[in-house]
Amino acid sequence: MSKAMETDVQYLPGVGPKRAALLRSELEVATVGDLLHLYPFRYIDRSTVQKIADVHPDQAYVQIMGTVLKVRLFAKNGAEITAEQVKYNLANRLSVIIGDDSGEMEVVFFKGVKWMHGRLIPGKTFLFFGKPQTFNGRINMVHPEFDAPESAQAGVLTGIYPSTEKLKTGGITGKVMVRLMSAALELVLPTLEDPLPDYVLKEKGLVPLSFALRQIHFPADQNALAKATYRLKFEELFLLQLSLLKQKYVRSRSAVGLPMPRVGEAFHRCYQALPYDLTGAQKRVIKEIREDLRSGHQMNRLLQGDVGSGKTMVAVLTSLIAVANGYQACLMAPTEVLAFQHFNNISRYLAPTGVKAALLTGSTGTAARREIHAGLEDGSIGLIVGTHALIEDTVTFKALGLAIVDEQHRFGVDQRARLWAKGAGGVHPHVLVMTATPIPRTLAMTLYGDLDVSVIDEMPPGRKPVQTLCVGENKRIAMYNFIRDEIEKGRQAFIVYPLIFESEKVDYKNLELGYEEVIKQFPQPRYQVAMVHGKQSAEEKAFHMDAFVAGRANILVSTTVIEVGVDVPNASVMVIESAERFGLSQLHQLRGRVGRGAEKSFCILMKGYKVSKESQKRLDLMCATENGFEIAEEDMKMRGPGDLEGTQQSGLPISLNIASLAKDGLILSDARLYAEHVLEQDPALEKPGNASLAAELRKDKYVRKDYSQIS
Ligand code: ADP
Ligand code: MG
């Protein structure tokens, strides 16, 4: 890294301490290098001049050749003042009417009024460049840049940089930004070092960094800009993958894992007692896990599988391997309801094995808790299922060898770390993280680039597709009638209400009102309606939940507490109220609650009166596909990866500056393959030819917590 890059921006000509402070607070730009890595988010072809009549308020920027027709000055109180009074700084606003042969429009200035007034003289013509907006029903521009008419240069692309109101009023306009970039390049280019070695540039057909930096800011033409953009995207994704894969290699060579070579009797007994065959995908995943467990290295595996793909079975069989080798296993779930359900299912699977399981949650009574603690300490409990209660300090294991986490995104990093610290003999337990939130491949490669990923991409046989429809309030009565018909056939229904944190109060009210209406529609004794939400006591919740699971209640009204895991094969209808308020993957999770039995199932998305275009798109997508990965890909495209549900907590390992995980999947795959290739030749990047890569990876942004500690 050259010294020039690390120069404080304040030393660039035209900056100084004041503007430097602004650049830092508004754009996080502290050094010349930061500045040069702030790329234009758009380019304007400054040779294009638009007619005033064609200007539209939705346009990001327009350039107009306008003649000044009329200039008016206004004081703070709105009264018009004379040019004379400007001298005494009374003017607060300058309104200029400009015109071309197609029409007229107003441009407005609030700053530098005196100076603008001196230049914008009626009869003179300028090129105005700015963002149009609507004000009082008419189009105008506030603080456009203006230039002599001859400055319209044919074919020159001008970069538009991110900006804020504070930057503009602080004098850092778009034009100034361009000047700063030019000065920064002049300073940096002579001593610039390329982090990518020559052989990489050659093999991947990339332009050198100096060319890329110059062209990204001052493109000669579209072709040069494309080459620069490609090079910078590739570099970003390649270095990221290189850092992730290098960590993974280091870890897989060094991290000691508890040896678990045996499969054991219990495994086989459980397997043989299963009422069904495992799917091919389940078998493959179990094989991958077995390899990990006997490798002598710590397993760190993410298990992705759509709702209902049969992850629980994989968890059970994996636990039995741990037990066969003298270790204990724990399975941690995000909610009590889910832990309870897991425990019930698992106990059934374990019955033929003689392995003892227990359930530990926040509402486990004192006496039972004491007994469980003792059982974990003396090793008589082989598999413990529970919630966060498992990570309390009072819980100690005789020999914890395997930690399974269901729906990992609900646990914080610290919580996970505390669980890992309970491993036998101070060694980290093997870790299996299960998630039903399908993560697009490109995102998984980056988020979990240093984890091993297994995917169950096959559903157990006999699953019927869920028919999804989206209807408005006018179909509400029909919806209730439909539920009645299904109940008549012996089925059950979910009705889910949104519960969004920010509007919690209103949402609970809606839930209560909804519940009352459902009870009116489905009166006792003919119908039984259960209700579950987060404000109930654990007993109350369990009571209602049991009633529904056991089939005593026909309908379960709830918030999204049932989102994950709950398994009631007899339920054939999922009604989602105010569906437009849910995110895509949440809708997908909820829909996964039905279609688990032999009967045809339905998901009814009830939408409100006002639905935004974006929300409608989500609802349409839900009706069009049931494929979780497809939905996740679309979700990412619509919202960008940072917003993707389930990833907020884990976050991206580093923020990307120019590449997009949603759009640059191909470059990412290529960059990853190439990073693997480079590391195969030189795993520690010790060869002289890779010195610049090694130096780059020592930078702060790549040095982060080792995932084996936290996932
Ligand atoms: P999830 O991946 O959502 O946790 P589960 O493990 O809860 O899925 O499995 C969903 C349902 O499918 C359960 O009722 C389970 O018994 C059943 N199941 C799992 N594996 C198979 C299989 N190979 N064949 C048939 N049914 C299966
Ligand atoms: Mg599950």
Side-chain angles (χ1 to χ4, degrees):
M1 163 80 108
S2 78
K3 275 258 161 46
M5 282 283 202
E6 283 157 62
T7 310
D8 192 320
V9 272
Q10 68 163 305
Y11 301 117
L12 273 185
V15 181
K18 249 199 191 147
R19 284 183 171 181
L22 260 183
L23 285 170
R24 187 165 314 155
S25 64
E26 296 297 295
L27 296 173
E28 289 176 48
V29 164
T31 65
V32 170
D34 295 340
L35 186 70
L36 285 176
H37 286 107
L38 187 74
Y39 304 137
F41 61 88
R42 177 185 287 120
Y43 297 85
I44 308 285
D45 183 350
R46 292 294 293 259
S47 62
T48 308
V49 176
Q50 215 177 312
K51 292 291 179 205
I52 289 179
D54 300 334
V55 173
H56 192 272
D58 288 347
Q59 286 181 285
Y61 287 90
V62 294
Q63 185 167 244
I64 291 162
M65 183 86 77
T67 305
V68 178
L69 300 177
K70 191 171 178 188
V71 179
R72 296 167 78 190
L73 290 154
F74 296 90
K76 250 205 177 72
N77 62 10
E80 189 167 351
I81 57 175
T82 64
E84 218 11 60
Q85 289 169 291
V86 177
K87 293 192 185 130
Y88 306 109
N89 283 326
L90 288 174
N92 175 247
R93 175 161 61 97
L94 173 68
S95 157
V96 179
I97 306 296
I98 59 170
D100 63 12
D101 56 17
S102 75
E104 297 177 7
M105 81 186 281
E106 185 195 29
V107 297
V108 185
F109 297 90
F110 298 96
K111 301 271 170 192
V113 166
K114 215 197 288 187
W115 189 77
M116 303 289 176
H117 183 256
R119 292 191 65 197
L120 293 166
I121 295 164
K124 284 202 169 185
T125 299
F126 297 95
L127 262 181
F128 291 89
F129 176 73
K131 164 140 190 51
Q133 59 166 36
T134 322
F135 183 73
N136 278 345
R138 314 185 63 164
I139 294 179
N140 74 6
M141 284 201 281
V142 177
H143 280 261
E145 292 177 14
F146 59 95
D147 258 323
E150 53 275 14
S151 69
Q153 286 162 299
V156 169
L157 297 169
T158 302
I160 304 298
Y161 296 91
S163 182
T164 65
E165 217 35 59
K166 275 189 186 161
L167 281 171
K168 277 190 222 150
T169 54
I172 306 181
T173 59
K175 241 195 298 184
V176 169
M177 211 59 181
V178 167
R179 254 198 332 260
L180 294 183
M181 288 301 176
S182 168
L185 280 174
E186 218 168 286
L187 181 72
V188 160
L189 288 186
T191 55
L192 187 68
E193 287 158 28
D194 197 327
L196 299 185
D198 282 343
Y199 79 89
V200 173
L201 299 184
K202 226 179 253 139
E203 285 178 19
K204 299 312 295 177
L206 303 170
V207 295
L209 182 61
S210 53
F211 179 90
L213 275 184
R214 184 181 284 290
Q215 296 299 324
I216 200 85
H217 292 292
F218 299 100
D221 52 40
Q222 289 289 359
N223 183 30
L225 176 59
K227 278 187 180 150
T229 308
Y230 183 81
R231 138 85 207 212
L232 293 169
K233 283 182 176 179
F234 186 92
E235 173 190 325
E236 188 164 71
L237 295 169
F238 171 68
L239 290 172
L240 174 59
Q241 290 303 325
L242 198 65
S243 80
L244 292 169
L245 289 168
K246 191 162 164 266
Q247 277 182 45
K248 181 171 155 179
Y249 285 173
V250 169
R251 181 166 51 75
S252 66
R253 268 174 303 153
S254 65
V256 195
L258 301 163
M260 300 188 180
R262 287 196 303 164
V263 174
E265 260 303 290
F267 182 103
H268 293 300
R269 262 190 244 138
C270 174
Y271 192 99
Q272 271 145 24
L274 283 179
Y276 45 73
D277 261 347
L278 292 185
T279 62
Q282 282 170 317
K283 284 183 190 161
R284 187 189 68 236
V285 168
I286 288 169
K287 213 166 141 204
E288 285 167 354
I289 291 172
R290 272 179 59 188
E291 293 299 324
D292 286 351
L293 295 183
R294 64 168 161 232
S295 72
H297 300 301
Q298 187 219 4
M299 174 173 77
N300 220 6
R301 190 169 280 279
L302 177 74
L303 174 57
Q304 283 198 49
D306 218 334
V307 213
S309 61
K311 295 185 292 295
T312 315
M313 205 51 240
V314 173
V316 169
L317 290 172
T318 307
S319 303
L320 291 177
I321 297 179
V323 172
N325 289 278
Y327 295 101
Q328 292 160 290
C330 72
L331 171 66
M332 199 153 77
T335 64
E336 251 178 59
V337 171
L338 198 52
F340 181 73
Q341 184 147 42
H342 268 315
F343 177 70
N344 278 349
N345 287 336
I346 287 170
S347 299
R348 256 190 300 136
Y349 294 131
L350 291 188
T353 68
V355 171
K356 191 176 165 195
L359 175 70
L360 182 66
T361 71
S363 49
T364 305
T366 320
R369 178 176 299 257
R370 208 173 293 136
E371 207 175 294
I372 290 171
H373 282 180
L376 290 173
E377 263 165 64
D378 68 22
S380 58
I381 295 175
L383 171 58
I384 180 86
V385 180
T387 54
H388 297 73
L390 288 178
I391 37 188
E392 277 166 27
D393 294 335
T394 45
V395 177
T396 51
F397 292 83
K398 179 168 183 234
L400 179 65
L402 170 70
I404 302 173
V405 183
D406 200 6
E407 296 300 331
Q408 108 289 355
H409 61 271
R410 306 213 169 191
F411 289 107
V413 167
D414 293 346
Q415 291 170 323
R416 281 180 262 164
R418 266 162 65 196
L419 185 58
W420 307 168
K422 293 180 190 288
V427 177
H428 278 179
H430 294 291
V431 176
L432 183 67
V433 173
M434 303 196 292
T435 177
T437 310
I439 298 167
R441 233 172 68 84
T442 51
L443 189 59
M445 267 186 203
T446 309
L447 268 181
Y448 305 109
D450 62 348
L451 292 185
D452 292 304
V453 179
S454 292
V455 182
I456 305 187
D457 50 8
E458 181 186 351
M459 285 297 195
R463 288 198 132 235
K464 297 241 168 74
V466 179
Q467 188 178 339
T468 304
L469 4 137
C470 176
V471 297
E473 279 302 315
N474 57 339
K475 290 277 160 55
R476 180 167 288 279
I477 299 301
M479 181 268 284
Y480 287 134
N481 286 335
F482 181 73
I483 293 182
R484 262 180 224 114
D485 289 348
E486 286 292 300
I487 292 177
E488 217 50 56
K489 291 187 209 156
R491 314 278 164 258
Q492 292 164 279
F494 292 101
I495 302 180
V496 179
Y497 282 81
L499 178 57
I500 315 291
F501 187 64
E502 301 92 66
S503 47
E504 197 180 29
K505 249 196 182 147
V506 180
D507 285 344
Y508 268 116
K509 186 111 199 287
N510 288 340
L511 175 72
E512 295 284 342
L513 290 175
Y515 178 62
E516 278 165 28
E517 154 122 12
V518 172
I519 284 184
K520 252 189 238 144
Q521 292 284 341
F522 298 89
Q524 283 184 328
R526 175 128 191 223
Y527 300 100
Q528 300 295 329
V529 181
M531 174 156 81
V532 176
H533 60 75
K535 286 202 172 153
Q536 289 167 324
S537 69
E539 292 90 52
E540 228 179 321
K541 219 185 288 176
F543 175 82
H544 283 269
M545 203 62 225
D546 285 352
F548 191 68
V549 172
R552 291 191 299 275
N554 316 99
I555 298 178
L556 179 69
V557 174
S558 80
T559 56
T560 49
V561 287
I562 55 142
E563 186 186 331
V564 272
V566 175
D567 194 12
V568 183
N570 190 45
S572 63
V573 187
M574 165 63 66
V575 175
I576 305 177
E577 295 281 355
S578 307
E580 74 276 6
R581 295 183 57 200
F582 290 86
L584 263 179
S585 64
Q586 222 179 357
L587 289 173
H588 179 66
Q589 291 280 325
L590 286 169
R591 177 167 59 186
R593 298 300 109 215
V594 293
R596 313 193 130 213
E599 302 310 315
K600 181 164 170 58
S601 298
F602 303 86
C603 175
I604 303 175
L605 306 172
M606 297 296 298
K607 64 173 177 179
Y609 292 108
K610 274 196 213 148
V611 175
S612 71
K613 245 194 221 160
E614 282 298 301
S615 306
Q616 188 60 50
K617 251 171 135 182
R618 287 205 300 273
L619 299 178
D620 290 345
L621 181 65
M622 284 300 293
C623 296
T625 179
E626 258 197 272
N627 183 318
F629 283 91
E630 224 173 275
I631 288 173
E633 290 281 356
E634 280 306 314
D635 200 16
M636 187 162 96
K637 278 188 199 140
M638 283 184 207
R639 309 198 296 156
D643 283 339
L644 199 68
E645 277 168 58
T647 61
Q648 286 98 331
Q649 271 197 24
S650 25
L652 285 174
I654 71 163
S655 60
L656 295 173
N657 193 22
I658 185 167
S660 148
L661 293 180
K663 295 188 194 126
D664 299 319
L666 285 177
I667 307 181
L668 175 59
S669 309
D670 186 31
R672 183 173 173 96
L673 277 179
Y674 193 65
E676 275 170 7
H677 166 76
V678 168
L679 287 172
E680 262 162 35
Q681 316 286 316
D682 184 12
L685 297 179
E686 291 161 330
K687 294 188 179 158
N690 286 328
S692 62
L693 290 175
E696 187 68 21
L697 294 194
R698 278 194 294 272
K699 282 190 191 164
D700 281 350
K701 66 174 170 178
Y702 298 107
V703 181
R704 60 198 182 94
K705 276 190 198 162
D706 180 350
Y707 261 129
S708 65
Q709 309 281 327
I710 59 177
S711 289

